[in-house]
Amino acid sequence: MGMKFCCACESFTPSEPIFMHGFGAREHPSIGVHDPLYVKAAMLEANKALLILTIDALGSDRSFTFGIKETLRERFGLGHDEVLINFSHTHHSVFLTGPDDKQRRGGYSVGQTKWTEYESELDYSADEALYVSVRETIVRLTDYCRSHLMPGELSVGRTKSDFAVSRRKPNGSGGVEWSPYYEGEIDKDLFVLKLTDSSGVVKGILYNYGCHTTAMGPDNLLLSNDFAGRTSAVLENAYPGASALFLQGCGGELKPMRSAEGNRFRSLSIAEMEAAGDDLAREVIAVLEHGAFEPVRCSFRSAMADPLLYTEQTGAELYEQLAEKHAANRFYRNAALRTMRAIRDGTVLDRLPHTICLWHLDETTSIVAMEGEVSTDYSRMFKRLLKQKTVLTLGYTNGVYCYVPTRNMIREGGYEAECNFFFNLRGPFVPEIEDIIVGQIVRLEQRLCEEE
């Protein structure tokens, strides 16, 4: 069966100053724009349609993603499993929410002027207006793609990249410290999905790599998609008429190698961030120009699971102590106090639904996409599990509620395993969440293989 596709994009860059999310140390609203923030779409159609959306934002809660997916289902007949919403996780943008306060993560609003202690201090009217604007943008892009599908080919290439480095360095006592771990094993796969028209002209470049978009730090007050914005701009300049979409991978504990300096990380300047983006663009271009691409035969299958992940039953006293320990850090202190009060009044969360999507693009090419800030070790795990296939792994997809650590990370502790109180979670996740996640991947894989 022939494949058709279309790519499209629109800016959703706020025109007024907003409070960016991503760094608790940031205390002031944005003062301008370094590079536009985009929503981009790639629709693929063969035996059925699949839609990939990328959004230059820190992430979203389910109030946003469920509302968007329901709109796409009602307007275009796309099932929730047929849409992937991937967030670049730039820390120089917004965290998106929708009108359903029951599915809202809370603790942040684009209209705030500081980190607040009480949820009642936040006014979400600006967030809800932004949701409506982004939803209308996504509807326009989807409608455009559906109306402008062109015949073409999809192919996949890959290389290994040293663009990222782990920030979890073993401390010699069974734990970890926030420091570059140059010897750490990470998923170095840089995948490139290439969309070409019937004449062989490149029209779409979907590049997949896992790394925090945090080349710059909290001192930056300009809206930006960080290195990924620069990389995509370079690619679109190199291939006129093509759309470049960054597919954020499983980079929960990974940072740009350029930001590593000895035993510490530093915030890069704008010029240095752009140089990092140029580095990644050169690697993608090298794959496009010299890499071996395998054609994807485009027989699409998709499935989704939504298991519950459980936390430990941590007591309120711990968060009272954390609030005292971090009294000088407003973000940490307020998050600890909110969690302490939530435990005492019974509103704290001790389980969290977690969206997992599996796409088969053909018999040998798959995409695994998971909600949240997913560890690189999950990516390596899935590729071993599905070793007979070419597997692209995406984190930060269909929502970004919190970190998703492995059993080993939970045992070691450290930031990614212990920052649960930022997100109204009662305690760190229990180690068994790894078994739940892997089991769901196996179940989805069996289901799709049976359909084929």
Side-chain angles (χ1 to χ4, degrees):
M1 179 178 292
M3 192 273 291
K4 296 181 179 180
F5 72 92
C6 183
C7 299
C9 74
E10 279 192 36
S11 168
F12 75 102
T13 313
S15 58
E16 301 293 332
I18 54 96
F19 201 95
M20 297 182 286
H21 203 345
F23 292 112
R26 188 183 276 135
E27 293 283 352
H28 302 286
S30 62
I31 59 172
V33 178
H34 174 264
D35 54 283
L37 303 174
Y38 289 105
V39 178
K40 297 185 178 182
M43 180 174 281
L44 312 175
E45 185 179 89
N47 55 306
K48 70 173 186 173
L50 299 175
L51 178 66
I52 296 173
L53 297 169
T54 63
I55 303 179
D56 299 345
L58 184 76
S60 82
D61 55 27
R62 290 193 168 206
S63 183
F64 177 87
T65 53
F66 187 83
I68 295 299
K69 287 198 170 192
E70 274 296 285
T71 298
L72 293 172
R73 183 186 63 81
E74 293 167 2
R75 292 288 299 271
F76 305 104
L78 292 165
H80 284 222
D81 60 305
E82 296 168 333
V83 178
L84 299 182
I85 306 175
N86 181 262
F87 298 93
S88 69
H89 197 53
T90 172
H91 286 39
H92 317 284
S93 181
V94 298
F95 185 88
L96 294 160
T97 190
D100 184 354
D101 59 0
K102 292 182 177 61
Q103 297 197 80
R104 183 174 289 152
R105 188 175 79 171
Y108 161 83
S109 167
V110 298
Q112 70 186 46
T113 57
K114 63 180 181 179
W115 295 110
T116 61
E117 181 177 339
Y118 294 91
E119 183 69 12
S120 59
E121 298 177 69
L122 295 172
D123 176 3
Y124 288 100
S125 56
D127 303 81
E128 292 180 10
L130 180 58
Y131 164 80
V132 171
S133 175
V134 174
R135 183 186 64 191
E136 291 174 351
T137 297
I138 289 172
V139 168
R140 281 195 303 272
L141 292 174
T142 305
D143 191 47
Y144 177 88
C145 286
R146 190 180 65 167
S147 303
H148 292 79
L149 292 168
M150 66 179 76
E153 293 186 355
L154 173 65
S155 56
V156 58
R158 82 166 103 178
T159 189
K160 296 289 185 181
S161 173
D162 291 316
F163 183 84
V165 63
S166 174
R167 65 188 188 192
R168 291 176 59 86
K169 184 177 181 179
N171 61 13
S173 303
V176 294
E177 61 185 38
W178 183 291
S179 185
Y181 183 30
Y182 301 103
E183 303 83 8
E185 293 187 0
I186 68 172
D187 182 1
K188 296 187 176 186
D189 279 342
L190 169 60
F191 276 103
V192 180
L193 290 172
K194 179 173 64 174
L195 289 163
T196 53
D197 65 16
S198 54
S199 300
V201 177
V202 176
K203 292 295 184 180
I205 304 164
L206 286 69
Y207 60 105
N208 164 225
Y209 189 78
C211 183
H212 259 68
T213 34
T214 54
M216 297 186 292
D219 54 325
N220 172 62
L221 295 178
L222 298 176
L223 294 167
S224 172
N225 199 28
D226 205 84
F227 70 79
R230 175 69 173 194
T231 300
S232 292
V234 171
L235 292 173
E236 290 173 352
N237 184 63
Y239 296 88
S243 295
L245 285 72
F246 173 57
L247 301 179
Q248 178 63 276
C250 298
E253 69 271 50
L254 306 183
K255 284 181 66 66
M257 181 69 79
R258 270 188 178 259
S259 68
E261 189 176 73
N263 63 356
R264 71 182 187 98
F265 289 103
R266 65 183 182 88
S267 298
L268 300 187
S269 67
I270 287 176
E272 291 171 322
M273 175 276 290
E274 291 177 340
D278 291 344
D279 290 343
L280 188 57
R282 279 191 290 270
E283 293 190 67
V284 175
I285 291 172
V287 175
L288 288 166
E289 295 297 317
H290 309 294
F293 277 82
E294 291 293 327
V296 178
R297 292 174 176 81
C298 296
S299 177
F300 301 149
R301 301 286 185 273
S302 59
M304 186 175 76
D306 205 31
L308 289 174
L309 306 183
Y310 296 85
T311 76
E312 300 286 359
Q313 297 297 307
T314 307
E317 298 76 15
L318 173 66
Y319 301 108
E320 189 171 17
Q321 295 167 10
L322 283 174
E324 293 175 2
K325 178 181 178 181
H326 296 287
N329 185 314
R330 187 184 318 209
F331 178 80
Y332 270 68
R333 173 186 174 275
N334 290 348
L337 289 174
R338 283 196 302 271
T339 305
M340 177 193 72
R341 287 193 296 269
I343 292 173
R344 289 174 176 165
D345 67 20
T347 60
V348 75
L349 300 176
D350 64 1
R351 64 202 65 189
L352 194 69
H354 178 70
T355 300
I356 303 170
C357 282
L358 177 62
W359 283 5
H360 283 188
L361 300 180
D362 64 11
E363 295 85 353
T364 60
T365 311
S366 298
I367 297 178
V368 176
M370 286 175 54
E371 185 177 2
E373 301 200 48
V374 183
S375 166
T376 188
D377 284 339
Y378 276 113
S379 184
R380 298 174 62 237
M381 204 180 302
F382 299 154
K383 290 176 181 181
R384 291 194 299 269
L385 185 67
L386 307 174
K387 59 185 178 181
Q388 303 303 320
K389 297 189 173 186
T390 298
V391 181
L392 286 71
T393 53
L394 279 59
Y396 306 89
T397 303
N398 299 322
V400 184
Y401 199 96
C402 61
Y403 282 92
V404 184
T406 62
R407 173 182 277 104
N408 188 55
M409 291 170 71
I410 293 169
R411 178 183 59 79
E412 293 174 333
Y415 176 78
E416 297 84 1
E418 297 174 344
C419 66
N420 56 282
F421 63 97
F422 293 175
F423 316 113
N424 195 39
L425 294 175
R426 177 158 192 160
F429 283 117
V430 298
E432 289 80 7
I433 69 165
E434 180 180 305
D435 303 319
I436 293 170
I437 291 168
V438 172
Q440 291 293 326
I441 294 291
V442 170
R443 186 181 68 84
L444 293 175
E445 174 69 10
Q446 290 174 339
R447 174 179 158 189
L448 292 186
C449 287
E450 288 170 1
E451 289 182 8
E452 291 171 359

